[in-house]
Amino acid sequence: SFDDSAWATGFAPHGYGIFDAITVVDYGIDPLNKPITNWFRTDFDALDVASLTGLVLRLRYDDAAVAYLNGVEIERVNLPGGLVTAQTVATSPVIGSQTFAFSDFLVDTAQLLEGTNTLAIEIHQDSSASYDLAFDVELSAFDGPTAVTRGPYLQQTSDTGIVIRWRTAGPSASRVWYG
């Protein structure tokens, strides 16, 4: 029931200090005293909710985020546990190419309503002097298992790490098991 009609609107990605921001977020006049938290909301319609088995939240954030579906927290990343306020800072900065990466989270459909739903995201900075903010989001639904269409395959090997990639026919709750 929150009235966001006075909020600015725009297309994603949102942010400042990043080259690909379509909507630049205003942080005021003092670049060393920016707001710690920015809020984003959108409404969407969902149909045949009972047939869905899961949701995938794809989230790009700099430096931390809390996602809410219909007022209930569904994901928290890079923030401490407990109460989150407008002054809660990220536990660590997101830097370099991480600013452009999406993270995928599997979300239970329990909070999804038949009809109109509200997805709200808080983006938190690691300090009020942070030089950049990045935000983009996608919420996808799926109604059953999906097939792997490519991979898995290995990339970017080093002495301390490796990237494992695969592609599925649709959104999925993928896991990597190794040992």
Side-chain angles (χ1 to χ4, degrees):
S1 64
F2 181 82
D3 181 10
D4 60 4
S5 61
W7 287 15
T9 62
F11 294 102
H14 301 270
Y16 54 77
I18 57 172
F19 74 87
D20 67 336
I22 293 174
T23 300
V24 176
V25 175
D26 183 16
Y27 56 77
I29 59 172
D30 186 353
L32 297 178
N33 192 24
K34 299 178 188 96
I36 294 295
T37 305
N38 289 270
W39 293 270
F40 303 87
R41 292 168 49 102
T42 191
D43 291 332
F44 65 94
D45 288 326
L47 303 174
D48 199 17
V49 170
S51 71
L52 302 176
T53 57
L55 301 169
V56 176
L57 179 72
R58 295 197 74 227
L59 185 59
R60 175 182 172 191
Y61 60 90
D62 181 326
D63 291 301
V66 182
Y68 302 89
L69 182 56
N70 298 317
V72 176
E73 183 177 326
I74 58 171
E75 190 59 53
R76 180 186 299 211
V77 60
N78 205 23
L79 285 166
L83 179 66
V84 174
T85 71
Q87 296 306 312
T88 303
V89 295
T91 54
S92 62
V94 170
I95 57 174
S97 62
Q98 292 176 320
T99 300
F100 302 98
F102 279 84
S103 297
D104 294 346
F105 305 96
L106 183 63
V107 177
D108 188 351
T109 61
Q111 299 310 318
L112 194 61
L113 303 174
E114 190 76 26
T116 302
N117 292 265
T118 300
L119 179 64
I121 312 286
E122 298 178 9
I123 299 296
H124 292 254
Q125 299 295 81
D126 72 320
S127 81
S128 61
S130 181
Y131 65 89
D132 64 351
L133 178 142
F135 166 70
D136 201 348
V137 68
E138 175 184 301
L139 184 64
S140 301
F142 59 95
D143 59 2
T146 187
V148 174
T149 59
R150 181 171 180 208
Y153 52 96
L154 307 178
Q155 291 185 326
Q156 301 174 354
T157 60
S158 72
D159 291 340
T160 60
I162 192 166
V163 174
I164 304 170
R165 294 193 182 258
W166 61 93
R167 185 174 299 147
T168 59
S172 68
S174 300
R175 292 192 178 137
V176 174
W177 294 59
Y178 67 96

